[in-house]
């Protein structure tokens, strides 16, 4: 088996399963899951993400609605749009693209989305459900990462997992998921002492710091599974390049399994967003998720 975990292929097969579930929801329940994506401002990277999200939503047979608001939109206007979407029966998932402009309070906006329409897992109720092992919705990037790990390793029980990065979007929810899988979990971050040694103890290493190629191969335990969440745009030898938080060339030589950048975690994130939207649509209609 290749050491490389092919996130692109994994995401494509997950999207096929989602498309088959959506077809059953339409056929058996006359239910078309709908996802609304809200973008405030004109951040170029966010515009690319939003376009890809809309395209893939439609490709799996769901309805996609986009709301593009001006950079200077007042917070109150964004909150009232969320209220309208909360009340719209055709919309089962609402995603407000982050980052938001500075004049808007991010947590206030995320908590305004009804927790049953939250497809990011950022609402406080879903954060609480994840950390207490309840039935909530799980943030997309950690969800995609845990799916790939379980697919490759089978049971994760008893393994030493180190998550480098403590963000609300990736680090903390990833740690919760690994704990649910009965790993021994360490969350490391920029203030961690002897970070290299902490990483060397990991059977599972998740890098989510946002620093290009920060983790070299000699920080990795031979045979470890490495999940690289970083997406960093750099320029090398006059060429623009996308790299992860792990130095892929040296890490690949030691790791037992590793996600590349691009083509690893990235493609799984949108596939998991589609999965979360189907999950929320089923929950709102009290329907069991159809088999794929
Ligand atoms: N911006 C970058 N990634 C994400 C994501 O997963 N969800 C939201 N809402 N915004 C993002």
């Amino acid at each position: 088996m290749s050491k490389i975990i092919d996130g692109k292929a994994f995401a494509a097969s997950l999207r096929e399963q989602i498309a088959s579930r959506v077809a059953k929801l339409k056929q058996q329940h006359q239910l078309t899951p709908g996802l609304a994506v809200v973008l405030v401002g004109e951040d170029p990277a966010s515009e690319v993400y939003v376009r890809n999200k809309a395209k893939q939503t439609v490709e799996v047979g769901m309805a996609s609605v986009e709301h593009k608001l001006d950079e200077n939109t007042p917070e109150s206007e964004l909150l009232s749009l969320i209220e309208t979407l909360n009340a719209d029966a055709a919309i089962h998932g609402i995603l407000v693209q982050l980052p938001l402009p500075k004049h808007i309070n991010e947590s206030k906006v995320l908590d305004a989305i009804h927790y049953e329409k939250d497809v990011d897992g950022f609402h406080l109720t879903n954060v609480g459900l994840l950390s207490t092992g309840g039935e909530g919705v799980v943030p997309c990037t950690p969800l995609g990462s845990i799916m790939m790990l379980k697919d490759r390793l089978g049971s994760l029980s008893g393994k030493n997992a180190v998550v480098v990065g403590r963000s609300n979007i990736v680090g903390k929810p990833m740690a919760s998921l690994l704990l649910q899988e009965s790993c021994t979990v360490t969350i490391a971050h920029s203030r961690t002492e002897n970070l290299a040694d902490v990483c060397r103890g990991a059977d599972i290493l998740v890098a989510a710091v946002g620093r290009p190629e920060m983790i070299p191969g000699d920080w990795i335990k031979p045979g470890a599974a490495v999940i690289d969440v970083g997406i960093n745009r750099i320029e090398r030898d006059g060429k623009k390049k996308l790299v992860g938080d792990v130095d892929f060339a040296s890490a690949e030589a030691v790791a037992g399994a590793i996600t590349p950048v691009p083509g690893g975690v990235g493609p799984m994130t949108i596939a998991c967003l589609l999965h979360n939207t189907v999950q929320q649509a089923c929950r709102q209609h009290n329907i069991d998720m159809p088999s794929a």
Side-chain angles (χ1 to χ4, degrees):
M1 192 191 290
S2 164
K3 274 189 186 182
I4 295 177
I5 301 176
D6 186 346
K8 207 172 155 190
F10 200 117
S13 102
L14 185 57
R15 283 196 304 271
E16 266 179 38
Q17 292 176 25
I18 294 166
S20 139
R21 291 191 165 110
V22 169
K24 286 182 184 165
L25 286 174
K26 285 181 174 174
Q27 230 170 41
Q28 297 165 6
H29 302 276
Q30 293 71 52
L31 170 61
T32 302
L35 173 65
V37 176
V38 182
L39 175 63
V40 187
E42 289 171 4
D43 176 58
S46 291
E47 287 195 332
V48 174
Y49 282 134
V50 167
R51 213 175 311 132
N52 285 336
K53 282 169 189 166
K55 182 169 167 272
Q56 294 187 25
T57 303
V58 172
E59 277 170 5
V60 297
M62 301 199 288
S64 167
V65 178
E66 265 180 74
H67 291 270
K68 290 193 174 180
L69 306 184
D70 186 83
E71 175 85 28
N72 300 313
T73 301
E75 184 183 279
S76 58
E77 200 175 304
L78 177 57
L79 291 171
S80 87
L81 171 61
I82 291 171
E83 277 315 303
T84 307
L85 295 169
N86 278 339
D88 185 341
I91 298 296
H92 305 93
I94 304 168
L95 180 141
V96 176
Q97 184 70 22
L98 302 178
L100 286 167
K102 292 209 169 23
H103 67 278
I104 296 178
N105 181 332
E106 206 163 272
S107 43
K108 195 168 165 186
V109 167
L110 296 177
D111 285 326
I113 298 170
H114 192 285
Y115 77 96
E116 284 188 328
K117 292 197 176 186
D118 167 26
V119 281
D120 268 321
F122 296 163
H123 190 284
L124 285 179
T125 299
N126 287 318
V127 175
L129 286 169
L130 176 59
S131 67
T132 54
E135 294 264 310
V137 82
V138 175
C140 303
T141 300
L143 179 59
S145 302
I146 205 89
M147 281 181 184
M148 290 192 288
L149 279 170
K150 286 170 75 173
D151 179 68
R152 179 56 71 108
L153 302 179
S155 168
L156 311 183
S157 178
K159 296 197 183 296
N160 273 330
V162 174
V163 180
V164 190
R166 54 176 156 177
S167 70
N168 291 334
I169 296 184
V170 183
K172 287 181 203 160
M174 188 71 215
S176 294
L177 287 173
L178 289 161
L179 193 56
Q180 262 178 25
E181 296 300 324
S182 302
C183 292
T184 303
V185 183
T186 303
I187 306 182
H189 45 79
S190 55
R191 303 286 175 89
T192 298
E193 290 182 4
N194 301 321
L195 181 59
D197 284 339
V198 172
C199 291
R200 284 183 193 118
D203 304 309
I204 295 168
L205 181 64
V206 180
V209 263
R211 288 227 242 134
E213 299 175 328
M214 188 191 117
I215 298 177
D218 74 347
W219 289 18
I220 293 167
K221 181 174 177 174
V226 179
I227 300 290
D228 190 351
V229 178
I231 299 179
N232 308 292
R233 288 170 175 82
I234 62 159
E235 207 167 308
R236 181 174 293 149
D237 306 326
K239 280 190 200 147
K240 291 203 166 82
K241 224 185 144 195
L242 216 54
V243 300
D245 293 345
V246 174
D247 175 41
F248 185 81
S250 63
E252 190 200 4
V254 219
I258 183 167
T259 58
V261 177
V265 175
M268 284 299 285
T269 298
I270 297 184
C272 287
L273 170 70
L274 305 177
H275 168 88
N276 283 350
T277 306
V278 174
Q279 185 188 316
Q280 293 293 48
C282 291
R283 189 163 292 157
Q284 283 157 44
H285 287 262
N286 235 336
I287 297 169
D288 286 337
M289 173 98 86
S291 57

